[in-house]
């Protein structure tokens, strides 16, 4: 999302990507707002605030009309909207959510033809507290360390994968 000025520029596009105003898709379009925030934003609120969530997925049937639109908070679906038929080209989720704790909120959709889209999260910060998943932090760190170990041992340390890399690139990755 580069704004509503009506004029596109590469600089505006790069700035939007840096801000996290993004979503990935192989078909359907997807938008999300949480309170006044868009994907990539940090929304700061006090405890027990209510946030208005608005998500929308759309695509013509020829590209892959959305079958389900889900709003996800901290990895759990908090709202799911299903279409009635593959000819329904738009799904909308429009609801309020209590801001009981800090969390990230994102939107995702799956189309009838299997195409998918997912937004960057909106980060909700309640009373200045981090949105880290405290219950699962050890498991999440272990998972990331395992992924890094795989990259190091299977890719960077393997000359079959790095033989064509330019000078200094292996060291830079390490």
């Amino acid at each position: 999302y580069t704004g509503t000025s009506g004029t596109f520029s590469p600089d505006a596009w790069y700035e939007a990507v840096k801000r996290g105003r993004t979503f990935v898709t192989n078909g359907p379009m997807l938008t999300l707002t949480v309170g006044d925030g868009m994907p990539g934003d940090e929304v700061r609120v006090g405890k027990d605030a209510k946030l208005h969530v608005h998500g929308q997925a759309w695509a013509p049937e020829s590209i892959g009309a959305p079958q389900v639109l889900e709003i996800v908070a901290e990895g759990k679906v908090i709202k799911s909207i299903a279409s009635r038929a593959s000819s329904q080209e738009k799904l909308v989720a429009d609801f309020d959510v209590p801001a009981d704790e800090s969390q990230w909120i994102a939107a995702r959709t799956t189309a009838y033809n299997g195409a998918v889209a997912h937004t960057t999260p909106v980060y909700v910060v309640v009373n200045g507290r981090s949105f880290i998943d405290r219950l699962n932090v050890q498991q999440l760190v272990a998972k990331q360390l395992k992924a890094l170990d795989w990259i190091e041992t299977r890719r960077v340390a393997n000359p079959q994968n790095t033989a064509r890399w330019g000078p200094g690139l292996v060291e830079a990755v390490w």
Side-chain angles (χ1 to χ4, degrees):
Y1 178 79
T2 59
T4 58
S5 68
T7 308
F8 175 81
S9 75
D11 289 339
W13 186 85
Y14 283 115
E15 183 59 32
V17 170
K18 279 200 282 187
R19 291 183 66 191
R21 299 261 199 258
T22 60
F23 71 100
V24 294
T25 186
N26 62 353
M29 302 299 289
L30 189 59
T31 59
L32 173 70
T33 57
V34 178
D36 292 332
M38 297 178 70
D41 283 346
E42 191 174 272
V43 176
R44 294 184 165 274
V45 296
K47 183 132 177 81
D48 299 324
K50 286 206 183 296
L51 292 169
H52 186 74
V53 177
H54 181 84
Q56 182 172 294
W58 72 99
E61 195 172 2
S62 61
I63 290 175
Q67 184 174 20
V68 65
L69 168 62
E70 296 175 320
I71 306 300
V72 182
E74 292 292 316
K76 296 176 186 80
V77 176
I78 60 170
K79 188 71 155 183
S80 182
I81 308 294
S83 78
R84 294 178 300 280
S86 62
S87 58
Q88 183 179 347
E89 296 184 343
K90 180 171 34 168
L91 294 175
V92 176
D94 202 39
F95 63 102
D96 291 331
V97 64
D100 296 333
E101 60 187 3
S102 297
Q103 59 191 308
W104 58 261
I105 299 174
R108 67 186 181 199
T109 189
T110 302
Y112 277 94
N113 66 359
V116 295
H118 201 299
T119 68
T120 301
V122 176
Y123 303 97
V124 177
V125 178
V126 178
N127 288 342
R129 287 188 51 118
S130 169
F131 55 86
I132 292 173
D133 182 357
R134 287 172 179 73
L135 294 175
N136 296 307
V137 72
Q138 288 181 334
Q139 290 171 296
L140 295 170
V141 168
K143 181 180 177 181
Q144 293 305 313
L145 289 173
K146 186 177 178 182
L148 288 171
D149 185 55
W150 184 87
I151 291 168
E152 289 176 350
T153 59
R154 298 278 176 101
R155 295 292 182 229
V156 180
N158 184 337
Q160 285 184 319
N161 295 314
T162 60
R164 294 185 182 181
W165 289 15
L169 189 54
V170 170
E171 292 77 16
V173 171
W174 280 108

